[in-house]
Amino acid sequence: MQLKSKRPRWLATRLEGASTPGLPDVLLTDEVGRFHLVELKNCRTSHVRLSAHQTSFLIRQARQGASVWVLVRQNDTVFLFAGSQAIELADNGLRKVSPVGRWEKPVDWDAIFTRISAINPI
């Protein structure tokens, strides 16, 4: 997913390959300087593969009030989950966990960024 080009006034920094296990794929900085961490996932089935490190990172940061997210693409649909949903998402997948948002093709990226930048994740 090319988040960088979807909202030009936001900065997107790819973190994948960083030395901290579980660190999400992308650090977003919105137009007012707030940070948002997003784990990107592609899946063919309803199962979302989140490692124990990823789940732990997302849950710990969410408990501290950080803006952490899991953005999942399945075929032509994009789902957005709050970091606080990581355990439930890893255990139960797309069919049993209600996303914060769901967008069918054509994806409304502006709505996704607006949701990510909301003060209260859920």
Side-chain angles (χ1 to χ4, degrees):
M1 290 180 238
Q2 288 288 354
L3 293 180
K4 188 185 254 184
S5 64
K6 305 300 181 190
R7 185 143 299 177
R9 294 186 57 210
W10 285 38
L11 297 174
T13 304
R14 192 85 164 143
L15 301 175
E16 197 168 32
S19 61
T20 304
L23 192 66
D25 297 314
V26 179
L27 169 66
L28 296 173
T29 308
D30 64 25
E31 59 272 335
V32 295
R34 290 180 299 193
F35 293 125
H36 312 277
L37 290 163
V38 182
E39 180 62 41
L40 304 174
K41 293 293 180 187
N42 275 310
C43 32
R44 294 182 184 175
T45 67
S46 66
H47 179 71
V48 179
R49 286 185 164 181
L50 288 169
S51 72
H53 288 295
Q54 290 169 326
T55 302
S56 175
F57 184 94
L58 290 163
I59 293 296
R60 284 184 297 124
Q61 294 301 316
R63 286 182 181 151
Q64 289 297 102
S67 178
V68 289
W69 304 91
V70 181
L71 190 65
V72 180
R73 180 178 12 204
Q74 181 189 45
N75 303 318
D76 291 335
T77 306
V78 173
F79 302 87
L80 182 66
F81 297 91
S84 60
Q85 296 176 286
I87 293 172
E88 187 181 4
L89 185 59
D91 289 348
N92 300 313
L94 297 175
R95 290 188 187 155
K96 295 186 178 180
V97 182
S98 295
V100 172
R102 175 189 170 134
W103 296 270
E104 306 268 338
K105 196 174 183 180
V107 175
D108 184 353
W109 289 100
D110 192 52
I112 293 172
F113 280 96
T114 297
R115 189 66 192 102
I116 286 172
S117 65
I119 299 297
N120 184 6
I122 295 183

